[in-house]
Amino acid sequence: MRHRDPHDDPSTKRRPARYSAPPVTLGHIRAHGVRHLLIYCSTGLCHHSATVDADCWPDETALRDLCPKAVCTQCGMIGADARPNWQERSQRETLTGVQWRR
Ligand SMILES: [Zn+2]
């Protein structure tokens, strides 16, 4: 009778972790020329949104870590949807195809 190695026990075997993309960080967003974040109230009821300056957070801050910390100034709900203000970028690189980066 073979000694049972805990590693052979199927119940201890874990399925490979699902691949998840690395979190979007403020450093990544800044690398694209975006310095502001759009914060949307997560209740979906008050539709409050705000643009915040991301300069006060370090580069390694993950966008998803900021979401649970945001408090809606209108309804007081904690937890918001934070997105990079990509419009800021499109002002520099126009989407018309006339201007391309050189
Ligand atoms: Zn709100």
Side-chain angles (χ1 to χ4, degrees), residues 8-66:
D8 281 345
D9 187 342
S11 67
T12 63
K13 274 205 178 116
R14 291 181 161 253
R15 273 179 293 171
R18 246 193 317 174
Y19 176 78
S20 58
V24 177
T25 60
L26 294 181
H28 174 89
I29 296 164
R30 286 183 191 126
H32 287 278
V34 176
R35 307 194 71 84
H36 293 83
L37 299 175
L38 296 171
I39 312 282
Y40 296 93
C41 179
S42 60
T43 62
L45 293 171
C46 82
H47 302 291
H48 186 61
S49 66
T51 308
V52 297
D53 198 323
D55 282 353
C56 57
W57 294 295
D59 277 358
E60 61 269 23
T61 308
L63 204 55
R64 67 180 178 201
D65 288 343
L66 290 175

Short mmCIF file of all heavy atoms in Angstrom, two decimals, residues 8-66:
data_model
loop_
_atom_site.label_atom_id
_atom_site.label_comp_id
_atom_site.label_asym_id
_atom_site.label_seq_id
_atom_site.Cartn_x
_atom_site.Cartn_y
_atom_site.Cartn_z
N ASP A 8 -1.14 14.00 -4.42
CA ASP A 8 -1.85 13.11 -5.33
C ASP A 8 -3.35 13.12 -5.10
O ASP A 8 -4.10 12.58 -5.88
CB ASP A 8 -1.35 11.66 -5.16
CG ASP A 8 -0.03 11.45 -5.87
OD1 ASP A 8 0.32 12.31 -6.71
OD2 ASP A 8 0.64 10.45 -5.58
N ASP A 9 -3.74 13.67 -4.02
CA ASP A 9 -5.17 13.69 -3.70
C ASP A 9 -5.89 14.63 -4.66
O ASP A 9 -5.59 15.83 -4.70
CB ASP A 9 -5.31 14.17 -2.25
CG ASP A 9 -6.75 14.06 -1.77
OD1 ASP A 9 -7.66 13.96 -2.62
OD2 ASP A 9 -6.95 14.10 -0.56
N PRO A 10 -6.81 14.10 -5.43
CA PRO A 10 -7.48 14.97 -6.41
C PRO A 10 -8.20 16.14 -5.78
O PRO A 10 -8.36 17.19 -6.41
CB PRO A 10 -8.47 14.05 -7.12
CG PRO A 10 -8.27 12.69 -6.56
CD PRO A 10 -7.32 12.74 -5.43
N SER A 11 -8.63 15.97 -4.53
CA SER A 11 -9.39 17.06 -3.92
C SER A 11 -8.50 18.27 -3.62
O SER A 11 -8.99 19.38 -3.47
CB SER A 11 -10.07 16.59 -2.64
OG SER A 11 -9.10 16.28 -1.67
N THR A 12 -7.17 18.03 -3.53
CA THR A 12 -6.30 19.17 -3.25
C THR A 12 -5.81 19.81 -4.55
O THR A 12 -5.19 20.85 -4.53
CB THR A 12 -5.07 18.75 -2.43
OG1 THR A 12 -4.30 17.83 -3.19
CG2 THR A 12 -5.47 18.14 -1.10
N LYS A 13 -6.08 19.15 -5.66
CA LYS A 13 -5.64 19.72 -6.94
C LYS A 13 -6.56 20.88 -7.31
O LYS A 13 -7.77 20.77 -7.27
CB LYS A 13 -5.68 18.65 -8.03
CG LYS A 13 -4.41 17.84 -8.06
CD LYS A 13 -4.17 17.24 -9.43
CE LYS A 13 -2.85 16.47 -9.43
NZ LYS A 13 -3.05 15.05 -9.66
N ARG A 14 -5.92 21.92 -7.70
CA ARG A 14 -6.70 23.10 -8.05
C ARG A 14 -6.66 23.28 -9.55
O ARG A 14 -5.66 23.02 -10.19
CB ARG A 14 -6.12 24.34 -7.39
CG ARG A 14 -6.34 24.29 -5.91
CD ARG A 14 -5.80 25.51 -5.25
NE ARG A 14 -6.43 25.62 -3.92
CZ ARG A 14 -7.35 26.52 -3.64
NH1 ARG A 14 -7.74 27.37 -4.53
NH2 ARG A 14 -7.87 26.56 -2.44
N ARG A 15 -7.78 23.74 -10.06
CA ARG A 15 -7.80 24.06 -11.47
C ARG A 15 -6.86 25.23 -11.72
O ARG A 15 -6.75 26.11 -10.86
CB ARG A 15 -9.22 24.43 -11.90
CG ARG A 15 -10.03 23.20 -12.29
CD ARG A 15 -11.41 23.56 -12.69
NE ARG A 15 -12.18 24.07 -11.56
CZ ARG A 15 -13.36 24.62 -11.65
NH1 ARG A 15 -13.92 24.74 -12.82
NH2 ARG A 15 -14.00 25.06 -10.59
N PRO A 16 -6.22 25.24 -12.86
CA PRO A 16 -5.32 26.38 -13.11
C PRO A 16 -6.09 27.69 -13.02
O PRO A 16 -7.23 27.79 -13.47
CB PRO A 16 -4.79 26.13 -14.54
CG PRO A 16 -5.66 25.07 -15.12
CD PRO A 16 -6.29 24.32 -13.99
N ALA A 17 -5.42 28.66 -12.40
CA ALA A 17 -6.08 29.95 -12.23
C ALA A 17 -6.40 30.55 -13.59
O ALA A 17 -5.62 30.48 -14.51
CB ALA A 17 -5.17 30.90 -11.46
N ARG A 18 -7.59 31.10 -13.68
CA ARG A 18 -7.98 31.72 -14.94
C ARG A 18 -7.09 32.92 -15.21
O ARG A 18 -6.80 33.69 -14.31
CB ARG A 18 -9.44 32.18 -14.86
CG ARG A 18 -10.30 31.40 -15.83
CD ARG A 18 -11.64 32.03 -16.00
NE ARG A 18 -12.24 32.47 -14.75
CZ ARG A 18 -13.37 33.15 -14.70
NH1 ARG A 18 -14.00 33.45 -15.80
NH2 ARG A 18 -13.88 33.53 -13.56
N TYR A 19 -6.67 33.05 -16.44
CA TYR A 19 -5.81 34.18 -16.77
C TYR A 19 -6.61 35.47 -16.64
O TYR A 19 -7.70 35.59 -17.17
CB TYR A 19 -5.28 34.06 -18.20
CG TYR A 19 -4.46 35.26 -18.59
CD1 TYR A 19 -3.15 35.39 -18.14
CD2 TYR A 19 -5.00 36.27 -19.37
CE1 TYR A 19 -2.41 36.50 -18.47
CE2 TYR A 19 -4.26 37.38 -19.71
CZ TYR A 19 -2.97 37.48 -19.26
OH TYR A 19 -2.23 38.60 -19.58
N SER A 20 -6.03 36.39 -15.92
CA SER A 20 -6.68 37.70 -15.85
C SER A 20 -5.65 38.75 -16.25
O SER A 20 -4.48 38.65 -15.87
CB SER A 20 -7.22 37.97 -14.46
OG SER A 20 -6.19 37.91 -13.52
N ALA A 21 -6.09 39.68 -17.01
CA ALA A 21 -5.20 40.74 -17.48
C ALA A 21 -4.66 41.52 -16.29
O ALA A 21 -5.36 41.67 -15.29
CB ALA A 21 -5.95 41.67 -18.42
N PRO A 22 -3.45 41.99 -16.39
CA PRO A 22 -2.92 42.81 -15.30
C PRO A 22 -3.79 44.04 -15.11
O PRO A 22 -4.33 44.56 -16.08
CB PRO A 22 -1.51 43.18 -15.76
CG PRO A 22 -1.46 42.90 -17.22
CD PRO A 22 -2.50 41.86 -17.50
N PRO A 23 -3.94 44.50 -13.87
CA PRO A 23 -4.83 45.65 -13.64
C PRO A 23 -4.31 46.90 -14.33
O PRO A 23 -3.10 47.09 -14.46
CB PRO A 23 -4.80 45.81 -12.12
CG PRO A 23 -3.57 45.12 -11.65
CD PRO A 23 -3.30 44.02 -12.64
N VAL A 24 -5.23 47.71 -14.76
CA VAL A 24 -4.87 48.99 -15.36
C VAL A 24 -4.41 49.91 -14.24
O VAL A 24 -5.14 50.11 -13.27
CB VAL A 24 -6.06 49.60 -16.11
CG1 VAL A 24 -5.71 50.97 -16.66
CG2 VAL A 24 -6.51 48.68 -17.24
N THR A 25 -3.21 50.42 -14.36
CA THR A 25 -2.68 51.31 -13.33
C THR A 25 -2.67 52.74 -13.83
O THR A 25 -2.76 53.00 -15.04
CB THR A 25 -1.25 50.91 -12.94
OG1 THR A 25 -0.42 51.01 -14.10
CG2 THR A 25 -1.20 49.50 -12.39
N LEU A 26 -2.54 53.66 -12.89
CA LEU A 26 -2.50 55.07 -13.28
C LEU A 26 -1.26 55.38 -14.11
O LEU A 26 -1.29 56.23 -14.98
CB LEU A 26 -2.54 55.94 -12.01
CG LEU A 26 -3.84 55.84 -11.22
CD1 LEU A 26 -3.78 56.75 -10.01
CD2 LEU A 26 -5.04 56.18 -12.07
N GLY A 27 -0.17 54.64 -13.84
CA GLY A 27 1.04 54.83 -14.64
C GLY A 27 0.79 54.48 -16.10
O GLY A 27 1.25 55.17 -17.01
N HIS A 28 0.02 53.41 -16.30
CA HIS A 28 -0.33 52.99 -17.66
C HIS A 28 -1.17 54.05 -18.36
O HIS A 28 -0.93 54.39 -19.52
CB HIS A 28 -1.11 51.67 -17.55
CG HIS A 28 -1.66 51.18 -18.84
ND1 HIS A 28 -0.95 50.36 -19.69
CD2 HIS A 28 -2.86 51.39 -19.44
CE1 HIS A 28 -1.69 50.11 -20.76
NE2 HIS A 28 -2.86 50.71 -20.64
N ILE A 29 -2.11 54.59 -17.61
CA ILE A 29 -2.99 55.61 -18.18
C ILE A 29 -2.20 56.87 -18.53
O ILE A 29 -2.38 57.46 -19.59
CB ILE A 29 -4.12 55.94 -17.18
CG1 ILE A 29 -4.99 54.70 -16.98
CG2 ILE A 29 -4.97 57.11 -17.65
CD1 ILE A 29 -5.88 54.78 -15.77
N ARG A 30 -1.30 57.24 -17.62
CA ARG A 30 -0.48 58.44 -17.87
C ARG A 30 0.42 58.25 -19.07
O ARG A 30 0.71 59.19 -19.80
CB ARG A 30 0.37 58.75 -16.63
CG ARG A 30 -0.44 59.33 -15.51
CD ARG A 30 0.45 59.69 -14.34
NE ARG A 30 -0.36 60.00 -13.17
CZ ARG A 30 -0.23 59.42 -12.00
NH1 ARG A 30 0.71 58.53 -11.80
NH2 ARG A 30 -1.02 59.73 -11.00
N ALA A 31 0.87 57.00 -19.26
CA ALA A 31 1.73 56.72 -20.41
C ALA A 31 0.99 57.00 -21.72
O ALA A 31 1.61 57.21 -22.75
CB ALA A 31 2.20 55.28 -20.37
N HIS A 32 -0.33 56.98 -21.66
CA HIS A 32 -1.13 57.28 -22.84
C HIS A 32 -1.54 58.75 -22.89
O HIS A 32 -2.39 59.13 -23.68
CB HIS A 32 -2.39 56.40 -22.87
CG HIS A 32 -2.08 54.98 -23.21
ND1 HIS A 32 -1.91 54.54 -24.50
CD2 HIS A 32 -1.89 53.89 -22.43
CE1 HIS A 32 -1.63 53.25 -24.50
NE2 HIS A 32 -1.62 52.83 -23.26
N GLY A 33 -0.98 59.54 -22.01
CA GLY A 33 -1.26 60.97 -22.04
C GLY A 33 -2.54 61.37 -21.34
O GLY A 33 -3.02 62.48 -21.51
N VAL A 34 -3.11 60.46 -20.55
CA VAL A 34 -4.34 60.77 -19.84
C VAL A 34 -4.02 61.03 -18.37
O VAL A 34 -3.37 60.21 -17.72
CB VAL A 34 -5.36 59.61 -19.97
CG1 VAL A 34 -6.61 59.88 -19.15
CG2 VAL A 34 -5.72 59.40 -21.44
N ARG A 35 -4.46 62.16 -17.87
CA ARG A 35 -4.13 62.53 -16.50
C ARG A 35 -5.37 62.65 -15.61
O ARG A 35 -5.26 63.01 -14.45
CB ARG A 35 -3.35 63.85 -16.47
CG ARG A 35 -2.14 63.85 -17.38
CD ARG A 35 -1.22 65.00 -17.08
NE ARG A 35 -0.55 64.82 -15.80
CZ ARG A 35 0.56 64.09 -15.65
NH1 ARG A 35 1.11 63.48 -16.68
NH2 ARG A 35 1.12 63.98 -14.47
N HIS A 36 -6.53 62.40 -16.15
CA HIS A 36 -7.75 62.52 -15.38
C HIS A 36 -8.56 61.24 -15.46
O HIS A 36 -8.46 60.48 -16.43
CB HIS A 36 -8.59 63.69 -15.88
CG HIS A 36 -7.94 65.02 -15.62
ND1 HIS A 36 -7.00 65.54 -16.46
CD2 HIS A 36 -8.09 65.89 -14.60
CE1 HIS A 36 -6.59 66.71 -15.97
NE2 HIS A 36 -7.24 66.95 -14.85
N LEU A 37 -9.37 61.04 -14.44
CA LEU A 37 -10.25 59.88 -14.41
C LEU A 37 -11.70 60.34 -14.39
O LEU A 37 -12.02 61.38 -13.82
CB LEU A 37 -10.00 59.05 -13.14
CG LEU A 37 -8.60 58.47 -12.95
CD1 LEU A 37 -8.51 57.80 -11.60
CD2 LEU A 37 -8.28 57.48 -14.05
N LEU A 38 -12.53 59.56 -15.04
CA LEU A 38 -13.96 59.82 -14.97
C LEU A 38 -14.54 58.87 -13.94
O LEU A 38 -14.34 57.66 -14.03
CB LEU A 38 -14.61 59.55 -16.34
CG LEU A 38 -14.16 60.45 -17.49
CD1 LEU A 38 -14.70 59.93 -18.80
CD2 LEU A 38 -14.64 61.87 -17.26
N ILE A 39 -15.21 59.43 -12.95
CA ILE A 39 -15.79 58.62 -11.90
C ILE A 39 -17.31 58.66 -12.04
O ILE A 39 -17.90 59.73 -12.08
CB ILE A 39 -15.40 59.17 -10.50
CG1 ILE A 39 -13.89 59.43 -10.42
CG2 ILE A 39 -15.86 58.23 -9.40
CD1 ILE A 39 -13.02 58.23 -10.22
N TYR A 40 -17.90 57.49 -12.14
CA TYR A 40 -19.36 57.41 -12.26
C TYR A 40 -19.93 56.80 -10.99
O TYR A 40 -19.42 55.78 -10.52
CB TYR A 40 -19.75 56.53 -13.45
CG TYR A 40 -19.31 57.07 -14.78
CD1 TYR A 40 -18.11 56.67 -15.34
CD2 TYR A 40 -20.12 57.97 -15.47
CE1 TYR A 40 -17.70 57.17 -16.56
CE2 TYR A 40 -19.72 58.46 -16.70
CZ TYR A 40 -18.51 58.06 -17.25
OH TYR A 40 -18.11 58.54 -18.46
N CYS A 41 -20.99 57.36 -10.50
CA CYS A 41 -21.68 56.79 -9.35
C CYS A 41 -22.20 55.40 -9.73
O CYS A 41 -22.78 55.21 -10.80
CB CYS A 41 -22.83 57.69 -8.93
SG CYS A 41 -23.76 57.03 -7.54
N SER A 42 -21.96 54.43 -8.84
CA SER A 42 -22.29 53.05 -9.19
C SER A 42 -23.74 52.68 -8.91
O SER A 42 -24.16 51.57 -9.21
CB SER A 42 -21.37 52.09 -8.44
OG SER A 42 -21.51 52.27 -7.06
N THR A 43 -24.52 53.57 -8.32
CA THR A 43 -25.90 53.20 -8.03
C THR A 43 -26.73 53.13 -9.31
O THR A 43 -27.72 52.41 -9.37
CB THR A 43 -26.58 54.23 -7.10
OG1 THR A 43 -26.60 55.49 -7.77
CG2 THR A 43 -25.86 54.35 -5.78
N GLY A 44 -26.35 53.88 -10.32
CA GLY A 44 -27.13 53.89 -11.54
C GLY A 44 -28.40 54.70 -11.41
O GLY A 44 -29.21 54.73 -12.31
N LEU A 45 -28.58 55.34 -10.26
CA LEU A 45 -29.80 56.11 -10.03
C LEU A 45 -29.56 57.60 -10.13
O LEU A 45 -30.36 58.32 -10.70
CB LEU A 45 -30.38 55.78 -8.65
CG LEU A 45 -30.90 54.35 -8.49
CD1 LEU A 45 -31.24 54.08 -7.03
CD2 LEU A 45 -32.12 54.12 -9.38
N CYS A 46 -28.46 58.05 -9.55
CA CYS A 46 -28.27 59.51 -9.52
C CYS A 46 -27.47 60.00 -10.72
O CYS A 46 -27.43 61.18 -10.99
CB CYS A 46 -27.65 59.95 -8.20
SG CYS A 46 -25.87 59.78 -8.09
N HIS A 47 -26.82 59.07 -11.45
CA HIS A 47 -26.09 59.41 -12.67
C HIS A 47 -25.04 60.49 -12.45
O HIS A 47 -24.74 61.25 -13.37
CB HIS A 47 -27.05 59.84 -13.79
CG HIS A 47 -28.06 58.81 -14.11
ND1 HIS A 47 -27.74 57.61 -14.72
CD2 HIS A 47 -29.40 58.77 -13.89
CE1 HIS A 47 -28.84 56.90 -14.87
NE2 HIS A 47 -29.85 57.55 -14.37
N HIS A 48 -24.54 60.58 -11.24
CA HIS A 48 -23.53 61.59 -10.97
C HIS A 48 -22.20 61.12 -11.52
O HIS A 48 -21.83 59.96 -11.37
CB HIS A 48 -23.44 61.83 -9.46
CG HIS A 48 -22.53 62.96 -9.10
ND1 HIS A 48 -22.74 64.24 -9.52
CD2 HIS A 48 -21.40 62.98 -8.34
CE1 HIS A 48 -21.77 65.01 -9.02
NE2 HIS A 48 -20.95 64.28 -8.32
N SER A 49 -21.49 62.02 -12.16
CA SER A 49 -20.15 61.68 -12.62
C SER A 49 -19.24 62.86 -12.38
O SER A 49 -19.70 64.00 -12.29
CB SER A 49 -20.16 61.29 -14.10
OG SER A 49 -20.50 62.41 -14.89
N ALA A 50 -17.97 62.59 -12.25
CA ALA A 50 -17.02 63.65 -11.97
C ALA A 50 -15.70 63.31 -12.65
O ALA A 50 -15.38 62.14 -12.87
CB ALA A 50 -16.81 63.81 -10.47
N THR A 51 -14.97 64.35 -12.99
CA THR A 51 -13.64 64.17 -13.52
C THR A 51 -12.65 64.53 -12.42
O THR A 51 -12.76 65.59 -11.82
CB THR A 51 -13.42 65.10 -14.74
OG1 THR A 51 -14.49 64.90 -15.65
CG2 THR A 51 -12.11 64.79 -15.43
N VAL A 52 -11.76 63.61 -12.11
CA VAL A 52 -10.80 63.88 -11.05
C VAL A 52 -9.38 63.84 -11.59
O VAL A 52 -9.07 63.09 -12.52
CB VAL A 52 -10.93 62.89 -9.87
CG1 VAL A 52 -12.29 63.01 -9.22
CG2 VAL A 52 -10.67 61.47 -10.32
N ASP A 53 -8.56 64.65 -10.99
CA ASP A 53 -7.15 64.71 -11.32
C ASP A 53 -6.47 63.49 -10.69
O ASP A 53 -6.57 63.28 -9.50
CB ASP A 53 -6.59 66.02 -10.73
CG ASP A 53 -5.27 66.38 -11.36
OD1 ASP A 53 -4.48 65.46 -11.64
OD2 ASP A 53 -5.03 67.58 -11.56
N ALA A 54 -5.81 62.70 -11.50
CA ALA A 54 -5.20 61.46 -10.97
C ALA A 54 -3.79 61.69 -10.45
O ALA A 54 -3.15 60.75 -10.00
CB ALA A 54 -5.18 60.39 -12.07
N ASP A 55 -3.33 62.93 -10.49
CA ASP A 55 -1.95 63.21 -10.10
C ASP A 55 -1.65 62.93 -8.63
O ASP A 55 -0.50 62.76 -8.26
CB ASP A 55 -1.61 64.68 -10.39
CG ASP A 55 -1.32 64.90 -11.87
OD1 ASP A 55 -1.25 63.90 -12.60
OD2 ASP A 55 -1.17 66.07 -12.27
N CYS A 56 -2.70 62.87 -7.80
CA CYS A 56 -2.45 62.69 -6.37
C CYS A 56 -2.20 61.22 -6.01
O CYS A 56 -1.85 60.92 -4.87
CB CYS A 56 -3.61 63.26 -5.55
SG CYS A 56 -5.20 62.55 -5.98
N TRP A 57 -2.37 60.32 -6.96
CA TRP A 57 -2.11 58.90 -6.68
C TRP A 57 -0.85 58.45 -7.40
O TRP A 57 -0.57 58.91 -8.51
CB TRP A 57 -3.30 58.05 -7.13
CG TRP A 57 -4.55 58.31 -6.36
CD1 TRP A 57 -4.76 58.07 -5.03
CD2 TRP A 57 -5.77 58.87 -6.86
NE1 TRP A 57 -6.04 58.45 -4.69
CE2 TRP A 57 -6.68 58.92 -5.78
CE3 TRP A 57 -6.17 59.30 -8.12
CZ2 TRP A 57 -7.97 59.41 -5.92
CZ3 TRP A 57 -7.46 59.79 -8.26
CH2 TRP A 57 -8.34 59.85 -7.18
N PRO A 58 -0.12 57.53 -6.79
CA PRO A 58 1.12 57.05 -7.43
C PRO A 58 0.84 56.20 -8.66
O PRO A 58 -0.27 55.67 -8.83
CB PRO A 58 1.81 56.23 -6.34
CG PRO A 58 0.74 55.87 -5.37
CD PRO A 58 -0.29 56.96 -5.44
N ASP A 59 1.87 56.06 -9.51
CA ASP A 59 1.75 55.32 -10.77
C ASP A 59 1.25 53.90 -10.59
O ASP A 59 0.56 53.37 -11.45
CB ASP A 59 3.13 55.26 -11.45
CG ASP A 59 3.42 56.51 -12.25
OD1 ASP A 59 2.55 57.39 -12.31
OD2 ASP A 59 4.53 56.59 -12.81
N GLU A 60 1.64 53.26 -9.48
CA GLU A 60 1.30 51.84 -9.33
C GLU A 60 -0.12 51.62 -8.82
O GLU A 60 -0.54 50.48 -8.63
CB GLU A 60 2.31 51.13 -8.41
CG GLU A 60 2.39 51.67 -7.00
CD GLU A 60 3.43 52.78 -6.87
OE1 GLU A 60 3.78 53.42 -7.88
OE2 GLU A 60 3.89 53.02 -5.74
N THR A 61 -0.87 52.71 -8.60
CA THR A 61 -2.25 52.56 -8.15
C THR A 61 -3.10 51.92 -9.24
O THR A 61 -3.11 52.38 -10.37
CB THR A 61 -2.84 53.94 -7.81
OG1 THR A 61 -1.96 54.60 -6.90
CG2 THR A 61 -4.21 53.80 -7.16
N ALA A 62 -3.78 50.84 -8.89
CA ALA A 62 -4.65 50.18 -9.87
C ALA A 62 -6.00 50.88 -9.88
O ALA A 62 -6.53 51.27 -8.84
CB ALA A 62 -4.83 48.72 -9.51
N LEU A 63 -6.52 51.03 -11.07
CA LEU A 63 -7.80 51.73 -11.24
C LEU A 63 -8.89 51.06 -10.41
O LEU A 63 -9.71 51.70 -9.77
CB LEU A 63 -8.17 51.70 -12.72
CG LEU A 63 -9.10 52.78 -13.22
CD1 LEU A 63 -8.56 54.15 -12.90
CD2 LEU A 63 -9.29 52.63 -14.72
N ARG A 64 -8.89 49.73 -10.41
CA ARG A 64 -9.96 49.01 -9.71
C ARG A 64 -9.85 49.16 -8.19
O ARG A 64 -10.83 48.93 -7.49
CB ARG A 64 -9.96 47.55 -10.12
CG ARG A 64 -8.73 46.78 -9.66
CD ARG A 64 -8.83 45.33 -10.13
NE ARG A 64 -7.62 44.61 -9.75
CZ ARG A 64 -7.23 43.49 -10.34
NH1 ARG A 64 -7.94 43.00 -11.31
NH2 ARG A 64 -6.15 42.87 -9.94
N ASP A 65 -8.65 49.54 -7.70
CA ASP A 65 -8.50 49.76 -6.26
C ASP A 65 -9.11 51.08 -5.83
O ASP A 65 -9.42 51.30 -4.66
CB ASP A 65 -7.03 49.74 -5.86
CG ASP A 65 -6.45 48.33 -5.93
OD1 ASP A 65 -7.24 47.38 -5.97
OD2 ASP A 65 -5.21 48.21 -5.95
N LEU A 66 -9.23 52.00 -6.78
CA LEU A 66 -9.79 53.31 -6.46
C LEU A 66 -11.32 53.25 -6.40
O LEU A 66 -11.95 53.97 -5.64
CB LEU A 66 -9.38 54.33 -7.52
CG LEU A 66 -7.92 54.75 -7.52
CD1 LEU A 66 -7.65 55.67 -8.70
CD2 LEU A 66 -7.55 55.43 -6.22
#
